[in-house]
Amino acid sequence: MFQIDKSSNRISALEKMTFSELKFKEREHLQEWLANTPESLGEDFLIIQKEFDGFDETRERLDLLALDKDGNLVIIENKLDDSGRDVVWQAIKYASYSSNLNKNQVIEIYQQYLRKIGSDDDAEESLTNFLCVEDLDEIILNKGNGQRVIFVAANFRKEVTSTALWLLSHGINVQCFKVTPYEFNDEYLLDVKQIIPVPEVKDLMIGMSEKEAEEKGVEAKQKKVNSIRLKFWEQLLRYLRESSCNIYDNISPSHDHWSNAGSGVGGAPYALIFGKKLIRIELTLNNASQKINKMMFDELYKSKSEIEEAFGKELTWERLDNKKSSRVKFEEAIDGYNEENWPYINNWMFENLQKIEVAIKSPLVAASTLVRSSSLSK
């Protein structure tokens, strides 16, 4: 920290001191400064207790307990000239203890603090004003694992900063503030600087944490979906093997939303589609050559009326001009992930697979023979 001399247009360094040299004490001074001016830590906190020891089956006490504007509990641990080695472990214990405090307990803790400092304020009224709500029923106090930890010290050991950064990377809201006293003209100044996370990258780190949380959520959802799909295919394939349908006899269950089986014509498998919102059977024309797929589709389409008459219902014909493959399909909207619907889906897939195989087999063989003969003759 430097003093600016406007007359000489120069700056001069202020004398950096230690709390010990100035005979400042942790509880008597640093803790009181923070308790009475919590905004020095960069945001608006409400101190709800000092030297809190209201944890069951332990006599341990944390330095300051506060609330932020979102109703999260904030554990503030103060050290003077050195953070020590055990401050992180202490704070984590306090955060775990505090995580069990419910709304009524938080209110009572704050009311006790108000009485301790000689205030006649009502805790509930003070909390509603601080949180900007009309009634405390509108907000959750101490939600889930939203507890925050703030460390304040003149110097931080590497084991403390390293652990704090590791906790941050795992979604634990941790901040480290370095406090430095200065002496100037028989007056004392205090510099409070956030060093973890660096304020300029805090938003970035929050964004990264949110992204990681989103990715974990997607992974968990996908794992659940995969489990549902595997269970469905296991029971459907068992159902088909026990029926008169034999084209899926050698097919194994998977996590995919589709399952293919041969039609007897190369590059033209049958597919069963199992989705959350619909089920489908289809014939897929998926040869390596886009040209052959389109030619086969056009030949099949010439027999559209006869095929649909044999199938008993209209089919959806998709030439898919901008894609390599083409397909003929039949589908129905249904909640596939509801296991109560699976007996119906089993029967639906069995019956329609049988019908489409009978309806399209001869035209498919004829179309394949004609197209491949035509391609070979050119």
Side-chain angles (χ1 to χ4, degrees):
M1 186 177 292
F2 295 82
Q3 175 196 7
I4 300 174
D5 188 331
K6 293 181 64 177
S7 62
S8 64
N9 196 26
R10 296 290 186 270
I11 60 173
S12 56
L14 299 182
E15 186 178 1
K16 183 178 178 180
M17 308 290 289
T18 67
F19 290 109
S20 299
E21 289 173 338
L22 297 173
K23 302 193 184 307
F24 288 132
K25 301 184 182 300
E26 182 181 312
R27 293 182 181 177
E28 185 179 343
H29 297 106
L30 182 57
Q31 183 171 287
E32 286 300 309
W33 301 338
L34 297 174
N36 288 280
T37 315
E39 61 270 22
S40 62
L41 298 176
E43 60 187 281
D44 197 3
F45 292 117
L46 179 68
I47 303 298
I48 64 171
Q49 193 54 268
K50 288 192 300 185
E51 298 294 321
F52 180 61
D53 61 354
F55 304 122
D56 293 338
E57 300 180 3
T58 176
R59 299 180 62 183
E60 296 180 282
R61 60 177 65 195
L62 59 85
D63 294 335
L64 292 172
L65 185 63
L67 281 174
D68 66 16
K69 281 291 189 177
D70 293 322
N72 298 310
L73 282 180
V74 184
I75 289 82
I76 303 174
E77 280 297 293
N78 318 306
K79 302 297 178 183
L80 280 178
D81 294 320
D82 184 87
S83 63
R85 294 187 178 88
D86 301 325
V87 64
V88 177
W89 171 237
Q90 288 178 321
I92 290 175
K93 286 192 296 182
Y94 300 151
S96 71
Y97 300 155
S98 300
S99 66
N100 295 316
L101 296 174
N102 60 38
K103 180 182 290 186
N104 288 333
Q105 289 173 316
V106 172
I107 294 171
E108 179 56 30
I109 288 168
Y110 183 39
Q111 191 66 67
Q112 292 174 2
Y113 175 66
L114 290 173
R115 287 195 291 266
K116 184 190 299 184
I117 64 175
S119 172
D120 294 329
D121 291 346
D122 178 72
E124 288 197 35
E125 183 179 349
S126 180
L127 286 168
T128 55
N129 291 335
F130 174 74
L131 298 170
C132 301
V133 295
E134 292 186 13
D135 192 287
L136 287 183
D137 289 339
E138 300 176 26
I139 194 167
I140 299 174
L141 292 181
N142 196 27
K143 178 171 58 177
N145 293 320
Q147 298 76 34
R148 300 172 54 183
V149 175
I150 292 179
F151 301 115
V152 182
N155 292 288
F156 286 89
R157 299 194 183 194
K158 184 176 180 179
E159 54 260 53
V160 174
T161 55
S162 177
T163 306
L165 289 169
W166 185 85
L167 289 170
L168 269 173
S169 71
H170 285 73
I172 308 299
N173 195 329
V174 176
Q175 293 168 273
C176 294
F177 286 83
K178 184 175 182 178
V179 287
T180 307
Y182 291 87
E183 187 174 29
F184 174 65
N185 290 341
D186 296 327
E187 293 185 356
Y188 303 115
L189 307 174
L190 184 68
D191 182 34
V192 182
K193 181 182 300 182
Q194 181 174 325
I195 60 170
I196 295 179
V198 178
E200 288 77 9
V201 301
K202 182 179 180 181
D203 291 341
L204 174 62
M205 295 188 71
I206 291 173
M208 290 173 64
S209 296
E210 290 175 348
K211 179 177 179 292
E212 289 172 0
E214 179 184 0
E215 290 172 351
K216 289 179 180 178
V218 171
E219 289 173 358
K221 182 178 179 181
Q222 189 60 48
K223 185 176 180 180
K224 180 180 179 181
V225 169
N226 287 344
S227 175
I228 292 172
R229 289 173 178 169
L230 181 61
K231 186 176 181 181
F232 171 78
W233 292 123
E234 287 174 340
Q235 61 87 43
L236 174 67
L237 294 175
R238 184 167 56 249
Y239 176 86
L240 292 178
R241 291 189 190 104
E242 294 171 355
S243 71
S244 57
C245 177
N246 57 20
I247 63 173
Y248 271 87
D249 285 356
N250 297 317
I251 304 300
S252 299
S254 73
H255 300 119
D256 297 316
H257 72 285
W258 51 269
S259 182
N260 286 354
S263 65
V265 174
Y270 293 113
L272 300 179
I273 309 299
F274 170 68
K276 179 174 175 57
K277 297 181 179 179
L278 62 83
I279 51 176
R280 183 165 78 236
I281 60 167
E282 65 181 45
L283 174 75
T284 306
L285 304 176
N286 194 29
N287 290 277
S289 169
Q290 181 184 35
K291 182 179 179 181
I292 289 179
N293 292 329
K294 304 313 171 188
M295 291 174 67
M296 286 183 62
F297 179 88
D298 292 340
E299 286 299 318
L300 278 176
Y301 195 77
K302 293 177 182 178
S303 304
K304 177 177 182 293
S305 297
E306 293 85 346
I307 292 171
E308 289 184 342
E309 183 178 355
F311 182 72
K313 295 177 183 177
E314 289 187 3
L315 297 168
T316 301
W317 297 74
E318 296 180 337
R319 195 173 191 271
L320 304 175
D321 292 337
N322 296 323
K323 297 184 177 181
K324 184 179 75 172
S325 62
S326 298
R327 65 189 177 194
V328 183
K329 68 181 186 181
F330 182 69
E331 64 186 23
E332 180 176 323
I334 192 172
D335 182 359
Y337 291 179
N338 183 348
E339 290 191 36
E340 293 181 359
N341 293 330
W342 288 3
Y344 171 82
I345 295 173
N346 290 345
N347 188 63
W348 185 94
M349 286 189 167
F350 165 69
E351 288 188 353
N352 288 297
L353 182 61
Q354 293 280 81
K355 287 193 291 184
I356 200 170
E357 185 184 17
V358 170
I360 212 167
K361 185 172 184 177
S362 293
L364 177 62
V365 171
S368 175
T369 302
L370 180 63
V371 169
R372 294 184 189 281
S373 298
S374 175
S375 298
L376 288 173
S377 66
K378 291 181 179 180

PDB file of all heavy atoms in Angstrom, residues 135-160:
ATOM      1  N   ASP A 135     -42.036 -12.307   4.262  1.00  0.00           N
ATOM      2  CA  ASP A 135     -42.231 -13.357   5.264  1.00  0.00           C
ATOM      3  C   ASP A 135     -41.140 -14.402   5.083  1.00  0.00           C
ATOM      4  O   ASP A 135     -40.755 -14.724   3.950  1.00  0.00           O
ATOM      5  CB  ASP A 135     -43.613 -14.005   5.084  1.00  0.00           C
ATOM      6  CG  ASP A 135     -43.982 -14.879   6.272  1.00  0.00           C
ATOM      7  OD1 ASP A 135     -43.398 -15.972   6.390  1.00  0.00           O
ATOM      8  OD2 ASP A 135     -44.835 -14.479   7.076  1.00  0.00           O
ATOM      9  N   LEU A 136     -40.657 -14.965   6.174  1.00  0.00           N
ATOM     10  CA  LEU A 136     -39.588 -15.962   6.087  1.00  0.00           C
ATOM     11  C   LEU A 136     -40.050 -17.248   5.417  1.00  0.00           C
ATOM     12  O   LEU A 136     -39.219 -18.065   5.005  1.00  0.00           O
ATOM     13  CB  LEU A 136     -39.031 -16.270   7.480  1.00  0.00           C
ATOM     14  CG  LEU A 136     -38.153 -15.178   8.109  1.00  0.00           C
ATOM     15  CD1 LEU A 136     -37.604 -15.650   9.443  1.00  0.00           C
ATOM     16  CD2 LEU A 136     -36.999 -14.806   7.170  1.00  0.00           C
ATOM     17  N   ASP A 137     -41.371 -17.441   5.305  1.00  0.00           N
ATOM     18  CA  ASP A 137     -41.863 -18.619   4.594  1.00  0.00           C
ATOM     19  C   ASP A 137     -41.517 -18.564   3.111  1.00  0.00           C
ATOM     20  O   ASP A 137     -41.581 -19.583   2.413  1.00  0.00           O
ATOM     21  CB  ASP A 137     -43.386 -18.736   4.749  1.00  0.00           C
ATOM     22  CG  ASP A 137     -43.786 -19.138   6.159  1.00  0.00           C
ATOM     23  OD1 ASP A 137     -42.926 -19.695   6.876  1.00  0.00           O
ATOM     24  OD2 ASP A 137     -44.935 -18.882   6.551  1.00  0.00           O
ATOM     25  N   GLU A 138     -41.133 -17.384   2.623  1.00  0.00           N
ATOM     26  CA  GLU A 138     -40.811 -17.220   1.203  1.00  0.00           C
ATOM     27  C   GLU A 138     -39.405 -17.685   0.855  1.00  0.00           C
ATOM     28  O   GLU A 138     -39.045 -17.740  -0.326  1.00  0.00           O
ATOM     29  CB  GLU A 138     -40.947 -15.742   0.798  1.00  0.00           C
ATOM     30  CG  GLU A 138     -42.339 -15.154   1.001  1.00  0.00           C
ATOM     31  CD  GLU A 138     -42.370 -13.680   0.667  1.00  0.00           C
ATOM     32  OE1 GLU A 138     -41.538 -13.234  -0.142  1.00  0.00           O
ATOM     33  OE2 GLU A 138     -43.225 -12.970   1.219  1.00  0.00           O
ATOM     34  N   ILE A 139     -38.598 -17.995   1.843  1.00  0.00           N
ATOM     35  CA  ILE A 139     -37.202 -18.330   1.564  1.00  0.00           C
ATOM     36  C   ILE A 139     -36.751 -19.516   2.406  1.00  0.00           C
ATOM     37  O   ILE A 139     -37.280 -19.756   3.499  1.00  0.00           O
ATOM     38  CB  ILE A 139     -36.289 -17.111   1.842  1.00  0.00           C
ATOM     39  CG1 ILE A 139     -34.890 -17.323   1.228  1.00  0.00           C
ATOM     40  CG2 ILE A 139     -36.191 -16.826   3.328  1.00  0.00           C
ATOM     41  CD1 ILE A 139     -34.054 -16.076   1.189  1.00  0.00           C
ATOM     42  N   ILE A 140     -35.813 -20.274   1.857  1.00  0.00           N
ATOM     43  CA  ILE A 140     -35.220 -21.396   2.587  1.00  0.00           C
ATOM     44  C   ILE A 140     -33.930 -20.913   3.231  1.00  0.00           C
ATOM     45  O   ILE A 140     -33.065 -20.365   2.550  1.00  0.00           O
ATOM     46  CB  ILE A 140     -34.919 -22.578   1.643  1.00  0.00           C
ATOM     47  CG1 ILE A 140     -36.207 -23.085   1.002  1.00  0.00           C
ATOM     48  CG2 ILE A 140     -34.217 -23.702   2.395  1.00  0.00           C
ATOM     49  CD1 ILE A 140     -35.990 -24.160  -0.047  1.00  0.00           C
ATOM     50  N   LEU A 141     -33.819 -21.094   4.527  1.00  0.00           N
ATOM     51  CA  LEU A 141     -32.582 -20.763   5.216  1.00  0.00           C
ATOM     52  C   LEU A 141     -31.711 -22.009   5.325  1.00  0.00           C
ATOM     53  O   LEU A 141     -32.196 -23.091   5.639  1.00  0.00           O
ATOM     54  CB  LEU A 141     -32.881 -20.219   6.626  1.00  0.00           C
ATOM     55  CG  LEU A 141     -33.574 -18.859   6.722  1.00  0.00           C
ATOM     56  CD1 LEU A 141     -33.762 -18.467   8.186  1.00  0.00           C
ATOM     57  CD2 LEU A 141     -32.776 -17.790   6.001  1.00  0.00           C
ATOM     58  N   ASN A 142     -30.426 -21.845   5.038  1.00  0.00           N
ATOM     59  CA  ASN A 142     -29.467 -22.941   5.143  1.00  0.00           C
ATOM     60  C   ASN A 142     -29.859 -24.105   4.233  1.00  0.00           C
ATOM     61  O   ASN A 142     -29.974 -25.251   4.660  1.00  0.00           O
ATOM     62  CB  ASN A 142     -29.360 -23.421   6.595  1.00  0.00           C
ATOM     63  CG  ASN A 142     -28.121 -24.270   6.831  1.00  0.00           C
ATOM     64  OD1 ASN A 142     -27.120 -24.131   6.139  1.00  0.00           O
ATOM     65  ND2 ASN A 142     -28.189 -25.138   7.819  1.00  0.00           N
ATOM     66  N   LYS A 143     -30.029 -23.790   2.951  1.00  0.00           N
ATOM     67  CA  LYS A 143     -30.493 -24.767   1.978  1.00  0.00           C
ATOM     68  C   LYS A 143     -29.447 -25.833   1.680  1.00  0.00           C
ATOM     69  O   LYS A 143     -28.301 -25.518   1.355  1.00  0.00           O
ATOM     70  CB  LYS A 143     -30.870 -24.044   0.681  1.00  0.00           C
ATOM     71  CG  LYS A 143     -31.340 -24.941  -0.442  1.00  0.00           C
ATOM     72  CD  LYS A 143     -31.889 -24.132  -1.597  1.00  0.00           C
ATOM     73  CE  LYS A 143     -30.869 -23.165  -2.123  1.00  0.00           C
ATOM     74  NZ  LYS A 143     -31.377 -22.412  -3.291  1.00  0.00           N
ATOM     75  N   GLY A 144     -29.828 -27.086   1.758  1.00  0.00           N
ATOM     76  CA  GLY A 144     -29.010 -28.212   1.314  1.00  0.00           C
ATOM     77  C   GLY A 144     -27.568 -28.135   1.760  1.00  0.00           C
ATOM     78  O   GLY A 144     -27.255 -28.000   2.947  1.00  0.00           O
ATOM     79  N   ASN A 145     -26.672 -28.218   0.779  1.00  0.00           N
ATOM     80  CA  ASN A 145     -25.238 -28.126   1.043  1.00  0.00           C
ATOM     81  C   ASN A 145     -24.686 -26.777   0.608  1.00  0.00           C
ATOM     82  O   ASN A 145     -23.558 -26.680   0.113  1.00  0.00           O
ATOM     83  CB  ASN A 145     -24.490 -29.251   0.307  1.00  0.00           C
ATOM     84  CG  ASN A 145     -24.829 -30.622   0.850  1.00  0.00           C
ATOM     85  OD1 ASN A 145     -24.954 -30.796   2.056  1.00  0.00           O
ATOM     86  ND2 ASN A 145     -24.991 -31.594  -0.032  1.00  0.00           N
ATOM     87  N   GLY A 146     -25.470 -25.728   0.820  1.00  0.00           N
ATOM     88  CA  GLY A 146     -25.065 -24.389   0.388  1.00  0.00           C
ATOM     89  C   GLY A 146     -24.204 -23.634   1.379  1.00  0.00           C
ATOM     90  O   GLY A 146     -23.976 -22.429   1.205  1.00  0.00           O
ATOM     91  N   GLN A 147     -23.718 -24.298   2.426  1.00  0.00           N
ATOM     92  CA  GLN A 147     -22.894 -23.615   3.423  1.00  0.00           C
ATOM     93  C   GLN A 147     -21.605 -23.086   2.769  1.00  0.00           C
ATOM     94  O   GLN A 147     -21.013 -23.751   1.929  1.00  0.00           O
ATOM     95  CB  GLN A 147     -22.535 -24.544   4.589  1.00  0.00           C
ATOM     96  CG  GLN A 147     -23.721 -25.048   5.387  1.00  0.00           C
ATOM     97  CD  GLN A 147     -24.496 -26.127   4.680  1.00  0.00           C
ATOM     98  OE1 GLN A 147     -23.927 -26.943   3.965  1.00  0.00           O
ATOM     99  NE2 GLN A 147     -25.799 -26.149   4.850  1.00  0.00           N
ATOM    100  N   ARG A 148     -21.213 -21.901   3.175  1.00  0.00           N
ATOM    101  CA  ARG A 148     -20.002 -21.271   2.655  1.00  0.00           C
ATOM    102  C   ARG A 148     -18.948 -21.171   3.753  1.00  0.00           C
ATOM    103  O   ARG A 148     -19.277 -21.141   4.943  1.00  0.00           O
ATOM    104  CB  ARG A 148     -20.319 -19.872   2.121  1.00  0.00           C
ATOM    105  CG  ARG A 148     -21.328 -19.855   1.006  1.00  0.00           C
ATOM    106  CD  ARG A 148     -21.745 -18.443   0.643  1.00  0.00           C
ATOM    107  NE  ARG A 148     -20.586 -17.596   0.330  1.00  0.00           N
ATOM    108  CZ  ARG A 148     -20.688 -16.302   0.040  1.00  0.00           C
ATOM    109  NH1 ARG A 148     -21.874 -15.701   0.040  1.00  0.00           N
ATOM    110  NH2 ARG A 148     -19.600 -15.601  -0.236  1.00  0.00           N
ATOM    111  N   VAL A 149     -17.675 -21.081   3.332  1.00  0.00           N
ATOM    112  CA  VAL A 149     -16.576 -20.972   4.284  1.00  0.00           C
ATOM    113  C   VAL A 149     -15.689 -19.810   3.864  1.00  0.00           C
ATOM    114  O   VAL A 149     -15.311 -19.694   2.690  1.00  0.00           O
ATOM    115  CB  VAL A 149     -15.740 -22.263   4.332  1.00  0.00           C
ATOM    116  CG1 VAL A 149     -14.534 -22.079   5.243  1.00  0.00           C
ATOM    117  CG2 VAL A 149     -16.590 -23.438   4.808  1.00  0.00           C
ATOM    118  N   ILE A 150     -15.359 -18.941   4.825  1.00  0.00           N
ATOM    119  CA  ILE A 150     -14.454 -17.818   4.574  1.00  0.00           C
ATOM    120  C   ILE A 150     -13.322 -17.879   5.587  1.00  0.00           C
ATOM    121  O   ILE A 150     -13.552 -17.966   6.798  1.00  0.00           O
ATOM    122  CB  ILE A 150     -15.190 -16.468   4.677  1.00  0.00           C
ATOM    123  CG1 ILE A 150     -16.193 -16.318   3.523  1.00  0.00           C
ATOM    124  CG2 ILE A 150     -14.194 -15.307   4.646  1.00  0.00           C
ATOM    125  CD1 ILE A 150     -16.979 -15.020   3.563  1.00  0.00           C
ATOM    126  N   PHE A 151     -12.098 -17.836   5.085  1.00  0.00           N
ATOM    127  CA  PHE A 151     -10.908 -17.784   5.934  1.00  0.00           C
ATOM    128  C   PHE A 151     -10.328 -16.374   5.871  1.00  0.00           C
ATOM    129  O   PHE A 151     -10.213 -15.786   4.791  1.00  0.00           O
ATOM    130  CB  PHE A 151      -9.851 -18.779   5.459  1.00  0.00           C
ATOM    131  CG  PHE A 151     -10.310 -20.203   5.445  1.00  0.00           C
ATOM    132  CD1 PHE A 151     -10.412 -20.905   4.253  1.00  0.00           C
ATOM    133  CD2 PHE A 151     -10.638 -20.849   6.625  1.00  0.00           C
ATOM    134  CE1 PHE A 151     -10.825 -22.222   4.232  1.00  0.00           C
ATOM    135  CE2 PHE A 151     -11.058 -22.163   6.617  1.00  0.00           C
ATOM    136  CZ  PHE A 151     -11.150 -22.855   5.419  1.00  0.00           C
ATOM    137  N   VAL A 152      -9.938 -15.860   7.030  1.00  0.00           N
ATOM    138  CA  VAL A 152      -9.325 -14.525   7.108  1.00  0.00           C
ATOM    139  C   VAL A 152      -8.027 -14.658   7.894  1.00  0.00           C
ATOM    140  O   VAL A 152      -8.022 -15.148   9.029  1.00  0.00           O
ATOM    141  CB  VAL A 152     -10.261 -13.523   7.801  1.00  0.00           C
ATOM    142  CG1 VAL A 152      -9.621 -12.130   7.821  1.00  0.00           C
ATOM    143  CG2 VAL A 152     -11.627 -13.462   7.105  1.00  0.00           C
ATOM    144  N   ALA A 153      -6.926 -14.226   7.291  1.00  0.00           N
ATOM    145  CA  ALA A 153      -5.625 -14.314   7.967  1.00  0.00           C
ATOM    146  C   ALA A 153      -4.639 -13.380   7.280  1.00  0.00           C
ATOM    147  O   ALA A 153      -4.836 -12.966   6.136  1.00  0.00           O
ATOM    148  CB  ALA A 153      -5.091 -15.747   7.942  1.00  0.00           C
ATOM    149  N   ALA A 154      -3.558 -13.056   8.001  1.00  0.00           N
ATOM    150  CA  ALA A 154      -2.519 -12.195   7.423  1.00  0.00           C
ATOM    151  C   ALA A 154      -1.664 -12.980   6.433  1.00  0.00           C
ATOM    152  O   ALA A 154      -1.197 -12.426   5.434  1.00  0.00           O
ATOM    153  CB  ALA A 154      -1.644 -11.600   8.518  1.00  0.00           C
ATOM    154  N   ASN A 155      -1.463 -14.272   6.711  1.00  0.00           N
ATOM    155  CA  ASN A 155      -0.673 -15.115   5.823  1.00  0.00           C
ATOM    156  C   ASN A 155      -1.292 -16.503   5.773  1.00  0.00           C
ATOM    157  O   ASN A 155      -1.766 -17.016   6.800  1.00  0.00           O
ATOM    158  CB  ASN A 155       0.777 -15.224   6.300  1.00  0.00           C
ATOM    159  CG  ASN A 155       1.528 -13.916   6.168  1.00  0.00           C
ATOM    160  OD1 ASN A 155       1.852 -13.483   5.068  1.00  0.00           O
ATOM    161  ND2 ASN A 155       1.786 -13.261   7.303  1.00  0.00           N
ATOM    162  N   PHE A 156      -1.263 -17.095   4.583  1.00  0.00           N
ATOM    163  CA  PHE A 156      -1.837 -18.425   4.398  1.00  0.00           C
ATOM    164  C   PHE A 156      -0.748 -19.423   4.032  1.00  0.00           C
ATOM    165  O   PHE A 156       0.047 -19.183   3.125  1.00  0.00           O
ATOM    166  CB  PHE A 156      -2.896 -18.396   3.286  1.00  0.00           C
ATOM    167  CG  PHE A 156      -4.181 -17.741   3.681  1.00  0.00           C
ATOM    168  CD1 PHE A 156      -4.367 -16.373   3.505  1.00  0.00           C
ATOM    169  CD2 PHE A 156      -5.212 -18.475   4.252  1.00  0.00           C
ATOM    170  CE1 PHE A 156      -5.539 -15.757   3.860  1.00  0.00           C
ATOM    171  CE2 PHE A 156      -6.396 -17.871   4.619  1.00  0.00           C
ATOM    172  CZ  PHE A 156      -6.571 -16.509   4.429  1.00  0.00           C
ATOM    173  N   ARG A 157      -0.738 -20.528   4.737  1.00  0.00           N
ATOM    174  CA  ARG A 157       0.202 -21.587   4.399  1.00  0.00           C
ATOM    175  C   ARG A 157      -0.228 -22.281   3.113  1.00  0.00           C
ATOM    176  O   ARG A 157      -1.410 -22.312   2.763  1.00  0.00           O
ATOM    177  CB  ARG A 157       0.277 -22.599   5.541  1.00  0.00           C
ATOM    178  CG  ARG A 157       0.760 -21.998   6.845  1.00  0.00           C
ATOM    179  CD  ARG A 157       1.135 -23.070   7.828  1.00  0.00           C
ATOM    180  NE  ARG A 157       1.530 -22.493   9.106  1.00  0.00           N
ATOM    181  CZ  ARG A 157       2.161 -23.156  10.061  1.00  0.00           C
ATOM    182  NH1 ARG A 157       2.474 -24.429   9.869  1.00  0.00           N
ATOM    183  NH2 ARG A 157       2.475 -22.569  11.194  1.00  0.00           N
ATOM    184  N   LYS A 158       0.750 -22.873   2.443  1.00  0.00           N
ATOM    185  CA  LYS A 158       0.483 -23.502   1.152  1.00  0.00           C
ATOM    186  C   LYS A 158      -0.537 -24.626   1.287  1.00  0.00           C
ATOM    187  O   LYS A 158      -1.391 -24.820   0.408  1.00  0.00           O
ATOM    188  CB  LYS A 158       1.783 -24.035   0.553  1.00  0.00           C
ATOM    189  CG  LYS A 158       1.597 -24.631  -0.837  1.00  0.00           C
ATOM    190  CD  LYS A 158       2.916 -25.068  -1.434  1.00  0.00           C
ATOM    191  CE  LYS A 158       2.709 -25.656  -2.832  1.00  0.00           C
ATOM    192  NZ  LYS A 158       3.980 -26.084  -3.457  1.00  0.00           N
ATOM    193  N   GLU A 159      -0.454 -25.380   2.396  1.00  0.00           N
ATOM    194  CA  GLU A 159      -1.401 -26.473   2.556  1.00  0.00           C
ATOM    195  C   GLU A 159      -2.837 -25.975   2.690  1.00  0.00           C
ATOM    196  O   GLU A 159      -3.786 -26.681   2.341  1.00  0.00           O
ATOM    197  CB  GLU A 159      -1.032 -27.352   3.746  1.00  0.00           C
ATOM    198  CG  GLU A 159      -0.863 -26.603   5.067  1.00  0.00           C
ATOM    199  CD  GLU A 159       0.590 -26.348   5.393  1.00  0.00           C
ATOM    200  OE1 GLU A 159       1.273 -25.788   4.519  1.00  0.00           O
ATOM    201  OE2 GLU A 159       1.035 -26.708   6.504  1.00  0.00           O
ATOM    202  N   VAL A 160      -2.998 -24.742   3.172  1.00  0.00           N
ATOM    203  CA  VAL A 160      -4.339 -24.155   3.294  1.00  0.00           C
ATOM    204  C   VAL A 160      -4.843 -23.699   1.927  1.00  0.00           C
ATOM    205  O   VAL A 160      -5.967 -24.011   1.524  1.00  0.00           O
ATOM    206  CB  VAL A 160      -4.326 -22.979   4.293  1.00  0.00           C
ATOM    207  CG1 VAL A 160      -5.678 -22.275   4.307  1.00  0.00           C
ATOM    208  CG2 VAL A 160      -3.983 -23.480   5.690  1.00  0.00           C
TER     209      VAL A 160
END
